Amino acid sequence: MTRIDTCFDRLRAEGRKAFVSYIMAGDPDTETSAAILAGLPGAGVDIIELGVPFTDPMADGPTIQLAGQRALEAGQTLQKTLDMVAAFRKTDDATPIVLMGYYNPIYSRGVDRFLADAKAAGVDGLIVVDLPPEEDAELCIPAQAAGLNFIRLATPTTDDARLPKVLQNTSGFVYYVSITGITGAAEAQAADVGPEVSRIKAQTDLPLIVGFGIKTPEAAQAIAGVADGCVVGSAIVSEIAAGKPVDEVLDFVRGLADGAHRA
Amino acid sequence: MPEDLINSFMTGPDENGRFGEFGGRFVSETLMPLILALEAEYEKAKTDQSFWDEMNHLWTHYVGRPSPLYFAERLTDHLGGAKIYLKRDELNHTGAHKINNVLGQILLARRMGKQRIIAETGAGQHGVATATVCAKFGLKCVVYMGAHDVERQAPNVFRMKLLGAEVIPVTSGRGTLKDAMNDALRDWVTNVRDTFYCIGTVAGPHPYPAMVRDFQSIIGKEAKEQMMAAEGRLPDTIIAAIGGGSNAMGLFYPFLDDKDVRIIGVEAGGKGVDDRMEHCASLTGGRPGVLHGNRTYLLQDEDGQILEGFSISAGLDYPGIGPEHSWLHDIGRAEYVAITDREALEAFKLCCELEGIIPALEPSHALAHVMKIAPTLPADHIICMNMCGRGDKDIFTVARALGVSMGDSA
């Protein structure tokens, strides 16, 4: 049982949907980012996705690209991101943290070393965009062995024939990418997402969280309503990019969380 | 793996798209089904005679193949050593080797019913080739090009527009080839259903490295036959310039099992391969990593962040290299060296003056290495170098580098 499994058990018992928020570690700088991170559970966030900055985020739109650039320019490193998680864990031992990013910074550190360090820091799961099931031997299998969840993305192009392969080594939850596209792009429509959720849930007992293209409390409510929860990233990162103070960013997050929890 | 234990160097990649540990399919799930569909389509086409008949017809009548193998007599005399042959792929329609591969991919796109073609380009040669073939077949063409490259390769930008392509300047990163490839991948992930991504080099997720190599191998196949006709034997050394490495792979591949043929790839050394990292020599100055769908040698910092390359040549300005080159490097079948901007410019000038051929800056790097080794080799040593592109597109860059003013034309 990871913190993610425990979290979903609790939400299920309470009959609530999960609200998952994404921020980029180190954006706009390590200190501010750590302050926002620490405030997320209080703003109603059930699960935290913490972006690991990468120079070449091929699946991300301009909002997340720029967040990564700001973080890197401010000197963020993988070590600083792990340190942020460790610091967070000193005051919060319940809220799951999922690192989300691309493979090269992990590969560069060395998979075994990274997994040991991530586990020790208090990371619960990984979402690595450029590791499809075909590359499971790289990180997915070792991560599960190290006690971390490996959360896979399912997409509108993942057809029924391929779905079992995508679900096979997934744990924690399944992240359904609601659009074919990059983060922060087109708006997701609950009417389109609903049937897709049913299609995937027919093949797995794992919770299903929907992300990409959710920008408002209303959309969070609508999308969470047809799934087990929803993820908001770019909309929150935009608030940070606009230079809003930490408490205003957290107020914005609270609005989204309340939306998702109304579902 | 010791070289003498390998029966053939031509069997890769394996079913997972690996050349040894290099290659693979490191892409997001959205793209994975497309890549599998492309692989299936290519596997079918590869053994379909009608596909190759169409390719051969177009290569002959549209591209102008075979390209000549030319004995560079004055260069040979001037350097005073090995006998130098140039494989004249700069004489192809559109002025470079790029069209060899584009034709193959566009024929595949037509088979798959895709109506919209996207491409990334650095020097603009792949963009021009893609725009050209799209015009010929009436397909919509969108080319991603780094904003910095749009500026330094203005003639090719105009050429693409004349051919009906939409050129999108990419401002993310430093605005070079790597960033153009990122944005092309973002377009693809957004428009998966109707769009075909025509990659210009032997990199990217499997099956691209193998597929592009196969299409470019026409260079090496012809060179082999032409060399037999000219000299009655194979060359002793073959040389080509490398950015992503498609012209080099095309020349090298048919020679891989001819173990007496020495194979040399020439990377862009920019201002010099040292810790300032102002170069694009991935093999000489990088280490293995994962980018753009494959594991290969990359220029990166200690935290796995990708570094921007630097080269006077926009076509070599890429921090990675095709995975098969990484493998050939590690097993020692091919050697890889770096040539600086300054050395490439000297070679550029010499080629103009002695042979009446204005080379592109990319093969000027290969030529600069020929200039280094030819004088040290005996007169019966034969070098075959791939002259993979012509230099019309580069005259403004060269003028600037030489301090010559050409008005406001660039």
Side-chain angles (χ1 to χ4, degrees), chain B residues 49 196 273 341 403:
Chain B
Q49 192 51 45
F196 186 99
V273 182
D341 288 353

Side-chain angles (χ1 to χ4, degrees), chain B residues 313-339:
Chain B
S313 150
L316 303 180
D317 208 342
Y318 182 68
I321 185 169
E324 196 167 5
H325 285 296
S326 291
W327 177 69
L328 291 171
H329 169 268
D330 276 18
I331 61 167
R333 176 61 188 101
E335 303 160 47
Y336 295 85
V337 298
I339 283 292

